[in-house]
Amino acid sequence: MQPVVRDSTPATSATAGEAASLDVKADFPIFARRFDGRELIYLDSGATSQKPRVVIEAVADHLRNHNANVHRGVYALAQEADAAFEGARARIAAFTGAQPETTIFTKNVTEALNLVAYAWGRANVGPGDAVLITQAEHHANIVPWQVLCRERGATLRYLEVDERGELSLQALDSELARGDVRLVAFTHVSNVLGTINPVAEMTARVRAAGAVSLVDGAQAVPHMPVDVEAIDADFYAWTGHKALGPTGIGVLHGRREILEEMEPFLTGGDMIASVDFDSATWNELPYKFEAGTPMVAEAVGLGAAVDYLSDLGMDRVRAHERALTAYMLERLAQVPGLRVVGPPEAERRGGLASFTIEGIHPHDIAELADRGGVCIRAGHHCAQPLMRCLGISATARASVGVYNEPADIDALVDALLAGREVFGLSRA
């Protein structure tokens, strides 16, 4: 069944007090800014997160005091840079329950997904094979597979999402039973629907069928406890800039035996062990997949970001954002003509709500919110196939982070109600 747009009716009520479990906004310098005298109210963490002071200072300190190329120098400054870079890798791996040797730095989650499509896909997918993804994927987890299947003569198939915006494990089993699926790629948390998929159950079914699994964790790792060993995916990808870290760094966790068999995605620089005039050999993991000078300062910044999140406690982060999401669903339901897509229960979704308002285009919704000092996203959210399934062209999306509080949700709802009046619609 194809998904439909649903009225927002949360299963449980959330009070503003229940949502106020974290109080960290002062840790984020950007919230000192004012726009036309108004405080910055940022509800677009699904696009990118704001950065705490400790991350900004970690990047600045590295560039100011420890900057050198890594894995190349024997002098003291270079050794400091090596220690900072590899120390960050170790902490980033531990943050998600992974091993440093199988934790590969990329420039973002999109590059991580493409790495798998190119380096694994072109060696393992061919005519008669199928790649299975879902209707809820971001373009970054659709287009690489379209290209791979076209080049290799394989078939790309989609798992449907139901009217609640959720996947069917029975439908997954049926697809796997056809015997031609080589890889299944799916999001951990949908960036549009907010749906939290049962990724551990899905990866177990995929492995039992003899296929390979890849999870896009861009919307999960920043917001909830994630243990990649427990999820047991063959590949798990996420990105730093949504997890309070800098832009320009992503992460790919891979199963060691698969990574060791794969050829490199990019060649040159640090991924080489030796080069002759006619041939070359590759470096050990993870460096085999990290060609050229890596993103050293960005890794240091992401290391500081995961330290910050670890100090908060990811169980607390999840509880805070779940309560805020429940409160957001409750408040949005008070806006006439507003409909939210995805599961109606906060416990079944990440910290976001995508919605439409009858009579107002989503881009106008976002601009009206901005007039009230509230930053939200509007558009197809790099998920045009899903929008077609929903029967709409775009939504507005509000997404929360550790720095948000119930008053931010109240400001959004006030701006939406005022916006209805701008369009000649009543508040009631």
Side-chain angles (χ1 to χ4, degrees), residues 270-412:
D270 212 24
M271 55 73 60
I272 290 166
S274 65
V275 180
D276 204 340
F277 285 107
D278 300 314
S279 63
T281 59
W282 313 137
N283 205 343
E284 62 187 5
L285 295 176
Y287 313 113
K288 182 171 78 168
F289 297 102
E290 294 180 356
T293 297
M295 49 292 286
V296 183
E298 291 82 356
V300 169
L302 183 54
V306 302
D307 289 347
Y308 180 87
L309 288 169
S310 295
D311 288 344
L312 289 180
M314 291 309 295
D315 287 325
R316 288 184 66 210
V317 169
R318 172 60 184 154
H320 169 76
E321 295 186 5
R322 182 175 58 233
L324 272 178
T325 302
Y327 184 63
M328 179 162 58
L329 293 173
E330 179 183 295
R331 291 299 326 272
L332 289 175
Q334 298 168 12
V335 179
L338 187 148
R339 295 173 178 266
V340 173
V341 299
E345 306 94 348
E347 60 270 19
R348 299 182 72 87
R349 61 160 64 227
L352 63 89
S354 296
F355 58 91
T356 61
I357 298 177
E358 185 177 0
I360 310 177
H361 191 278
H363 289 111
D364 292 325
I365 295 173
E367 208 226 313
L368 291 166
D370 184 51
R371 292 184 189 181
V374 183
C375 305
I376 63 172
R377 179 87 176 266
H380 53 65
H381 313 297
C382 299
Q384 288 176 301
L386 177 59
M387 292 293 163
R388 293 188 178 95
C389 292
L390 294 170
I392 53 181
S393 61
T395 68
R397 185 186 71 188
S399 49
V400 301
V402 296
Y403 32 70
N404 288 118
E405 53 198 17
D408 299 337
I409 308 300
D410 295 335
L412 170 63

Side-chain angles (χ1 to χ4, degrees), residues 160-243:
E160 292 186 353
V161 292
D162 64 18
E163 69 278 0
R164 290 171 50 87
E166 297 178 322
L167 300 172
S168 163
L169 292 174
Q170 291 72 29
L172 172 61
D173 289 339
S174 296
E175 286 288 344
L176 293 171
R178 296 172 66 168
D180 61 349
V181 175
R182 294 287 288 148
L183 177 137
V184 186
F186 46 93
T187 186
H188 193 158
V189 176
S190 168
N191 74 312
V192 174
L193 302 167
T195 309
I196 303 173
N197 286 320
V199 290
E201 295 180 56
M202 295 173 72
T203 60
R205 283 167 159 81
V206 171
R207 177 159 295 107
V212 167
S213 59
L214 183 153
V215 180
D216 173 2
Q219 298 289 344
V221 171
H223 305 291
M224 62 185 64
V226 170
D227 185 333
V228 297
E229 288 195 359
I231 291 170
D232 204 23
D234 295 299
F235 300 101
Y236 191 103
W238 55 286
T239 196
H241 74 93
K242 297 182 193 292

Side-chain angles (χ1 to χ4, degrees), residues 124-131 149 152-157 179-182:
N124 292 279
V125 175
D129 292 333
V131 172
C149 289
R152 303 297 297 162
T155 301
L156 181 63
R157 295 202 296 266
D180 61 349
V181 175
R182 294 287 288 148

